[in-house]
Amino acid sequence: MGNNAKPFLKWAGGKSQLLEKFSELYPKRLKEHKITKYVEPFVGGGAVFFELSSLYDFETVVLNDINDELILTYTVIKSNVEELIDYLHRIRSEFLELDNLEEKSEVYYKVRNEFNQEKKHIDYKKESYDWIRHAGNLIFLNKTCFNGLYRLNRKGEFNVPYNKSKAPSIFDEENLRQVSKALKNAILLKGDFENVAEYVDENTFVYIDPPYRPLNATSNFTDYSKEPFNDESQIRLAEWFKRLAEKGAAVMLSNSDPKNADENDNFFDDLYREFDITRVQASRAINSKANGRGKITELLIRSED
């Protein structure tokens, strides 16, 4: 409690802009400090976790994601934050000393290529200096790529182009230290969302932020990993949500609102009909066209008030 860590990555679907609205809708038991565990099966950029870690002392925190690089980076920040900061200082200094965008672009694509090559041989189960470099390269690419988007091609390679920024911030040294403190006692897991089930009981708050269901063909930003998250996955997740609620856990889930595109689309209204569904206003965080970043509604689904 009292930690002021913020997300260290820009992540598609990040919740920073919605935290104030979320604070009104968190379960009553959490606000009354009756919850002892916090579990997040799709941690992503971690905005909700960092916000809650500043407000509550949880006995147990479990953070999971299917993205190898993301969990590796959280682990490095947790265990080797000073070594990571040293690496980021070096790569940032070299990058910012370059005179023109062409040179910066060359460095970006060199790092991107190294990152993709590392993905093929890195041992995700055994910590090494390779982890520090790989985590540092992810942070560098995230802050210098187009729109901070994490996207993989069918070969599992990161393929987002350079954003042509002259002086990107890349990292905040003090914030990384705060993130490390927030993660000190967290259990970090990599894999399918059901990985966390064994940690959930009646004293748990579970916040679920899955890859959003696309509103249309051009807004599909679910490619956080090679594995697709389709309607079948959304249905499996809804069934799991119900099982967690039956365990007595307080469960809250975010997703896109299909009614933004089709007022007759009741996909989520039907899936979660026995739960509380609230529509909250949000801005599109990632869209290639500036005029596509208007206000839309998103869904917040809760098992209890």
Side-chain angles (χ1 to χ4, degrees):
M1 206 159 124
N3 187 288
N4 60 354
K6 305 294 181 188
F8 58 93
L9 295 172
K10 183 176 180 181
W11 210 250
K15 292 296 172 292
S16 295
Q17 62 162 309
L18 293 173
L19 291 176
E20 187 174 343
K21 295 172 184 175
F22 279 18
S23 66
E24 302 168 8
L25 297 167
Y26 287 136
K28 183 179 178 183
R29 286 194 287 149
L30 176 67
K31 296 175 184 176
E32 294 175 348
H33 295 266
K34 294 178 180 178
I35 294 288
T36 59
K37 290 184 183 180
Y38 178 71
V39 174
E40 193 167 344
F42 301 89
V43 67
V48 172
F49 162 65
F50 293 127
E51 172 78 1
L52 293 180
S53 71
S54 73
L55 300 172
Y56 303 99
D57 283 321
F58 297 109
E59 293 176 11
T60 305
V61 170
V62 182
L63 307 175
N64 177 81
D65 203 280
I66 200 168
N67 185 308
D68 287 299
E69 277 67 44
L70 187 63
I71 293 302
L72 180 151
T73 302
Y74 273 102
T75 304
V76 168
I77 294 174
K78 175 183 175 179
S79 305
N80 299 99
V81 69
E82 294 304 325
E83 291 87 344
L84 176 64
I85 288 170
D86 287 344
Y87 178 81
L88 285 167
H89 270 301
R90 290 199 302 274
I91 194 171
R92 181 171 67 182
S93 295
E94 292 170 8
F95 184 74
L96 294 182
E97 284 173 4
L98 297 172
D99 292 329
N100 57 59
L101 286 177
E102 185 177 348
E103 289 178 323
K104 285 182 166 69
S105 178
E106 286 177 6
V107 171
Y108 173 83
Y109 287 108
K110 178 175 175 286
V111 173
R112 193 181 78 171
N113 183 59
E114 288 176 357
F115 180 78
N116 286 325
Q117 291 303 312
E118 287 168 354
K119 279 169 61 65
K120 296 175 182 177
H121 65 74
I122 198 164
D123 186 343
Y124 290 98
K125 295 181 180 179
K126 185 177 180 181
E127 289 190 53
S128 66
Y129 184 77
D130 288 347
W131 280 34
I132 295 168
R133 185 175 64 245
H134 201 52
N137 286 345
L138 173 65
I139 293 171
F140 171 81
L141 291 171
N142 180 261
K143 294 304 178 71
T144 55
C145 75
F146 178 73
N147 261 342
L149 176 63
Y150 189 92
R151 183 186 64 205
L152 302 180
N153 62 22
R154 292 189 179 184
K155 294 180 181 178
E157 297 171 335
F158 179 79
N159 67 347
V160 184
Y162 179 51
N163 74 357
K164 300 181 181 178
S165 173
K166 291 182 179 179
S169 61
I170 299 179
F171 75 104
D172 178 332
E173 182 174 335
E174 188 51 41
N175 185 56
L176 285 177
R177 292 193 177 103
Q178 291 297 315
V179 170
S180 184
K181 289 178 183 178
L183 294 170
K184 183 178 179 182
N185 297 313
I187 298 167
L188 300 172
L189 303 175
K190 183 269 167 184
D192 184 78
F193 60 84
E194 294 199 46
N195 259 5
V196 304
E198 65 181 278
Y199 295 95
V200 179
D201 59 24
E202 68 277 5
N203 299 310
T204 308
F205 174 43
V206 185
Y207 172 61
I208 304 172
D209 185 27
Y212 275 18
R213 184 175 187 246
L215 296 178
N216 53 59
T218 60
S219 64
N220 190 344
F221 287 102
T222 63
D223 298 330
Y224 303 99
S225 68
K226 295 184 290 189
E227 297 81 2
F229 204 88
N230 53 23
D231 279 2
E232 183 178 322
S233 303
Q234 298 285 1
I235 292 167
R236 179 167 70 93
L237 179 60
E239 292 169 350
W240 188 66
F241 181 107
K242 294 171 189 175
R243 292 199 297 274
L244 297 185
E246 287 168 0
K247 273 188 174 184
V251 193
M252 189 170 95
L253 177 143
S254 304
N255 219 309
S256 59
D257 183 1
K259 292 186 181 297
N260 286 297
D262 179 1
E263 63 180 20
N264 297 313
D265 190 337
N266 294 310
F267 182 78
F268 288 121
D269 292 83
D270 290 340
L271 269 184
Y272 293 96
R273 56 185 171 275
E274 66 245 62
F275 299 105
D276 180 87
I277 300 175
T278 302
R279 286 174 162 84
V280 296
Q281 286 265 308
S283 298
R284 293 179 187 271
I286 291 181
N287 194 304
S288 59
K289 297 179 181 178
N291 62 8
R293 300 185 185 186
K295 290 287 185 181
I296 60 171
T297 55
E298 292 187 4
L299 301 180
L300 200 61
I301 298 162
R302 300 180 296 161
S303 65
E304 61 183 72
D305 293 331

